[in-house]
Amino acid sequence: MESANLDRSGSGDPLDQLLREARPRIADDGFSTHVMAAVDARRRLARLRFCLMVAGGALGFAIAAAAGAFGPGATHVSADLQRNFSDLAAVAAKPSVIIAAIVIAAALVYVFRRNARDPAAR
Amino acid sequence: MTPDQELISRVIACDDHAAFSELVRRHQSAVRSFLRHLTRGNHALADDLAQEAFVQGYRSLGRFRGGSAFLTWILGIAHNQWRNARRRPQFAALADDSDEPLAPDLTAASDLRSDLAAALRTLSADEQLALHMCYQQGLTHEEAAALLDWPLGTVKTHVARAKEKLRHHLAVWNPQT
């Protein structure tokens, strides 16, 4: 039988001490090896994803080039793009659109700040 | 022993696997015992979540600002993993029932310890969790409150109430009361 008692009058609280000593220690038993294997697997997957993205971009570019997007017709494409961007700028200058944009931006800032308070992304 | 911060710097700077492996070895027990506590002793689920937490931690380590200890940070990730898992239909049974006590993972190494384990089982889940965070994980009340998303007063109240209940249950060990 232990001689400890839970009297608080002495130096320090024996109950505090008891609770701290009750900390369980779980043996690793290969856990960290499994974690590192999972980390490696995720890294390989991320690398594969990146390679696929680059390859997809290159393929898209090649298809566009083969379809003649960069030939003489490209001037028309550029002019169309410029016209579309001017139309877009005219729409964006409307007060209602500006207010909507501010509301959306505020909502995004709120969401990201909430996430930033967490130690990691949910 | 190399400080955590140095290991973290090595992982961030040179993607040092050995350094991260050392961090995992160092903190696996705390993270797994925390999750075993939350999953009510479901060791397999707790270990899966702990593994996910460390993998997530590895990916997010660049965002670790060092404002808190690494352990507090990784426990926060583990808690998020637990919250996400709880939303999945297959884990619906693990929904937060504050009235249902958790099974404390406490080895009965002596009569006093076994009495303590029995007394802990009489506490509510939240009271046990508060004690676990503040004593077994060694967090401050503020750190526990931030990690669990509880108001600071709630943590303090749970700890104080839990300790009073434990004192009552363990009164036999105090001949002066």
Side-chain angles (χ1 to χ4, degrees):
Chain A
M1 282 288 254
E2 291 192 6
S3 58
N5 70 59
L6 300 172
D7 177 21
R8 274 178 287 185
S9 57
S11 61
D13 187 341
L15 181 58
D16 286 354
Q17 187 65 26
L18 191 64
L19 285 167
R20 278 191 203 101
E21 283 169 2
R23 184 186 307 206
R25 174 78 208 164
I26 300 171
D28 189 278
D29 286 339
F31 175 81
S32 53
T33 312
H34 281 123
V35 170
M36 294 317 292
V39 164
D40 280 340
R42 296 286 170 89
R43 235 164 41 138
R44 274 197 299 274
L45 192 68
R47 227 177 269 159
L48 179 70
R49 230 179 257 155
F50 178 77
C51 290
L52 283 175
M53 195 183 72
V54 170
L59 185 68
F61 187 84
I63 290 171
F70 306 112
T75 347
H76 293 294
V77 174
S78 165
D80 282 352
L81 270 176
Q82 269 184 354
R83 198 170 45 245
N84 287 340
F85 276 123
S86 341
D87 289 350
L88 197 65
V91 171
K94 288 181 183 172
S96 55
V97 175
I98 292 171
I99 290 168
I102 290 170
V103 170
I104 291 166
L108 285 174
V109 166
Y110 174 75
V111 167
F112 279 109
R113 283 189 64 184
R114 266 184 73 89
N115 278 345
R117 260 186 265 144
D118 284 333
R122 285 163 195 232
Chain B
M1 195 166 74
T2 318
D4 281 0
Q5 196 52 54
E6 196 183 316
L7 293 172
I8 291 163
S9 305
R10 273 163 42 187
V11 177
I12 294 170
C14 2
D15 198 14
D16 186 338
H17 265 213
F20 190 71
S21 183
E22 174 59 26
L23 283 169
V24 175
R25 263 193 299 275
R26 213 174 266 184
H27 299 292
Q28 57 86 22
S29 175
V31 173
R32 289 163 79 195
S33 82
F34 171 54
L35 286 164
R36 283 180 187 188
H37 203 85
L38 291 175
T39 57
R40 300 170 204 283
N42 185 336
H43 291 199
L45 175 60
D47 283 3
D48 282 352
L49 293 175
Q51 179 171 312
E52 272 306 305
F54 279 112
V55 171
Q56 174 73 49
Y58 176 79
R59 288 165 63 191
S60 318
L61 206 56
R63 280 183 271 153
F64 177 64
R65 299 275 171 257
S68 63
F70 176 76
L71 177 60
T72 314
W73 184 75
I74 199 75
L75 285 175
I77 296 176
H79 192 237
N80 284 341
Q81 293 288 343
W82 149 249
R83 282 199 291 212
N84 290 339
R86 224 174 37 172
R87 287 191 206 116
R88 293 179 214 147
Q90 65 264 42
F91 301 129
L94 299 170
D96 193 12
D97 314 309
S98 296
D99 296 333
E100 189 184 328
L102 306 172
D105 191 0
L106 197 64
T107 314
S110 69
D111 289 343
L112 176 55
R113 293 265 172 90
S114 56
D115 281 359
L116 176 65
L120 280 168
R121 275 185 224 110
T122 66
L123 303 178
S124 74
D126 284 352
E127 286 166 349
Q128 284 190 39
L129 187 56
L131 283 187
H132 177 83
M133 300 311 283
C134 296
Y135 287 94
Q136 295 179 1
Q137 297 289 357
L139 303 184
T140 62
H141 288 163
E142 287 79 5
E143 286 171 334
L147 204 148
L148 297 169
D149 264 344
W150 289 356
L152 178 58
T154 305
V155 173
K156 288 182 176 175
T157 306
H158 281 318
V159 169
R161 208 173 280 163
K163 282 172 69 180
E164 274 317 305
K165 285 182 188 173
L166 289 181
R167 268 184 230 291
H168 174 74
H169 283 287
L170 301 173
V172 68
W173 289 94
N174 182 8
Q176 289 158 13
T177 55

